[in-house]
Each structure stands twice: as structure tokens, then as C-alpha cells.
Amino acid sequence: MARETKLIVNLTRGNVVCEQVVIADRARRRMRGLLGRRSLPPGEGMLLQPSPSIHTSFLRFPIDVVFLDRNLRVIKLVEHLPPWHAASAIDGRSALELAAGEIVRRNVQVGDQLLTVESSIDEEDAGADAGEHESQALIDPDRSGGPAKVLLVGADRRFRSVAATLLARRGCEVSVTERIVGVAELAHREAVDVVVLDAGSLPTAATLAAAELDALEPPVGVVLVSEEQKRGGSPTQVLEKWGEFDALFGAITEARPPRGTAGFSGGSR
């Protein structure tokens, strides 16, 4: 697909709707749409803005369509729209075209609130993006009575950006870094509660970093995530990186050591 892509995140369900979406906000790009493509793989899509209606003339495959209002809230769902058909939504502002079957697979429902996230965000931008939604955070009760301070570590910028955004919506204070080396020192210096380590292509480095974090005093919780949920030889539970966000948030809540409110700054970075 085009080089300039974003992610679509479902804030209501806490998961990713589309990993690579092209924003078609110009007349020429909207007119071309998906024409000329032989297929639309899962995880790819196109967001047409503005677009209260779409047609599938000349397409070679069926698609799912998610109609959104001006705030990117889902107002209508059309599944398996075949070629040479049309669909529209009253009060529709945007149309998200996905591979057929993605609405069910990604659990998209009418009323869900979606959000576009930069897919190539850096550390500072990720923190800023998360903080942008912190004022609307849904702060869940936790063991300390204050917001959890979470450090996201890993090379996958998409994961850092999405996780930072969703964690901030749950009331967490989030910081991010790409480097695994020296993460224990950083976690101690920043007085974080939980470190989320993306094992990625460096499972050994992540395991060593987890061991260093386990030895810190005061204690720091550790959560490992990976593309593969189970890795042989690891004594620590590894979560599926792109699994349900509730599972990640639950693991962070469990891993967070009990601590008084003195360890928290109470504000965003």
C-alpha cells in the first residue's frame, strides 16, 4: 500500500482494528480507492475522508466497510460488501474499508470509538500522543490508589505507540524507550512501577533485562510480550503482543508491586 500509513485503534474494545491504513483525504485518492488491487490482506485498509458513501464497482474482491461520524465513532457496519455494490450511512463522515471478515475478527461494533495513531512515531511523540488523551482517562482502581507508572520497552514503534495511547486512557503514566540495554537502571531512576518488555527478535536480551528488573529494590513489575505467546525455556509468562488489551492491562495490574502514594508524581511527564 502507500507509504504514508497509520494504525486504527479501537479505544472502546482496546485493540487494533487495522495495522496499515491509508488516509484518503484528497479527491484523487478517494476516487482511486482500492481499484487495481487483486486483494486486500487482513491488517490493511483505507480510510476515506470525507465519505458518507462508497461503491465497489470494478473491485475484484468483497470488503468490509465501517462508517464513522466526524469524531471517528462507528455508526454503521457493512460486512462482505461484494463488487458492483454501494453502501452509505446517514450522518457518515468517513468510511473505513477493510478486508472481508475483519469486522468480526477485530470485534468492531456500532458505537465504538476509533482513533488514528502514527505508525512511525518516536519516543517523545508516543508519550505526547498518550498524554493527549490522559485528561479523559478511565482510571481503574489499583493497589496503590494512584496512577501506575509504566515503561514500554522495545523496537516496535507501532506497539509502543498503540500501547502508550491505550494505557494512558486507563489512567497510567507512560514513558517509552527503544533500548533494552540499561533498562533496569532507567526504571530505577524513573521510579516506574511496571516495565513492559517487547521480546521481539531479542528474547535473550529481554530475559536478561527481566532478571535485572526482578532484582531491583524497590521492586519493579515486569511483563513480557512477544509476537509468539509461548517461548520455550522462559520461566516468565509471555503475552501475545497484539492480543486483547485487557489481557495486557490485567497483567500490568497484577505485576505492579504494592506501594504507597509517595512513589508517584501524580502528573504526566
Side-chain angles (χ1 to χ4, degrees):
M1 300 198 72
R3 289 176 296 176
E4 297 180 2
T5 62
K6 294 186 179 183
L7 295 107
I8 300 290
V9 177
N10 189 330
L11 294 177
T12 303
R13 308 292 162 188
N15 65 337
V16 177
V17 174
C18 184
E19 285 84 3
Q20 298 182 59
V21 65
V22 173
I23 308 297
D25 54 1
R26 297 181 181 179
R28 191 177 206 178
R29 181 170 284 183
R30 288 196 303 272
M31 290 178 62
R32 181 174 181 180
L34 299 172
L35 295 179
R37 294 178 60 93
R38 294 184 177 274
S39 65
L40 182 61
E44 294 188 12
M46 179 168 288
L47 181 62
L48 306 174
Q49 294 179 322
S51 183
S53 63
I54 64 103
H55 68 83
T56 55
S57 302
F58 303 103
L59 282 190
R60 306 179 184 182
F61 48 87
I63 60 173
D64 281 0
V65 185
V66 180
F67 285 102
L68 309 163
D69 66 13
R70 63 178 63 255
N71 298 315
L72 295 186
R73 188 174 297 277
V74 179
I75 59 175
K76 184 178 179 179
L77 299 171
V78 181
E79 299 180 45
H80 293 271
L81 185 67
W84 299 99
H85 282 66
S88 62
I90 299 176
D91 297 327
R93 175 67 177 176
S94 305
L96 175 61
E97 298 179 337
L98 302 170
E102 287 291 87
I103 285 177
V104 172
R105 192 167 81 91
R106 307 285 181 147
N107 191 25
V108 182
Q109 299 182 27
V110 172
D112 287 355
Q113 178 64 60
L114 306 189
L115 173 73
T116 59
V117 180
E118 294 292 341
S119 59
S120 59
I121 201 163
D122 61 23
E123 281 75 27
E124 292 184 2
D125 290 337
D129 184 64
E132 181 179 331
H133 304 281
E134 193 165 4
S135 61
Q136 306 173 24
L138 306 176
I139 302 180
D140 292 357
D142 54 51
R143 294 194 236 175
S144 70
K149 299 176 70 173
V150 180
L151 174 62
L152 299 171
V153 185
D156 189 337
R157 292 183 174 184
R158 294 185 303 142
F159 175 73
R160 294 198 311 264
S161 176
V162 171
T165 300
L166 295 177
L167 285 171
R169 294 283 296 188
R170 291 292 182 94
C172 298
E173 296 180 19
V174 185
S175 55
V176 295
T177 182
E178 183 176 357
R179 294 175 57 84
I180 292 181
V181 177
V183 69
E185 180 181 351
L186 176 61
H188 180 72
R189 184 171 67 247
E190 297 294 324
V192 301
D193 301 304
V194 179
V195 175
V196 177
L197 285 169
D198 180 5
S201 59
L202 299 172
T204 301
T207 301
L208 291 174
E212 293 178 354
L213 288 164
D214 285 338
L216 288 178
E217 196 61 45
V220 173
V222 180
V223 175
L224 286 176
V225 298
S226 177
E227 296 283 358
E228 299 180 3
Q229 189 170 358
K230 295 182 179 179
R231 285 191 294 108
S234 174
T236 306
Q237 179 187 8
V238 181
L239 295 179
E240 183 182 357
K241 186 165 70 173
W242 293 109
E244 289 294 324
F245 175 71
D246 282 345
L248 175 61
F249 185 74
I252 291 172
T253 302
E254 284 297 316
R256 182 182 184 183
R259 188 181 298 179
T261 57
F264 304 101
S265 63
S268 60
R269 295 186 186 283

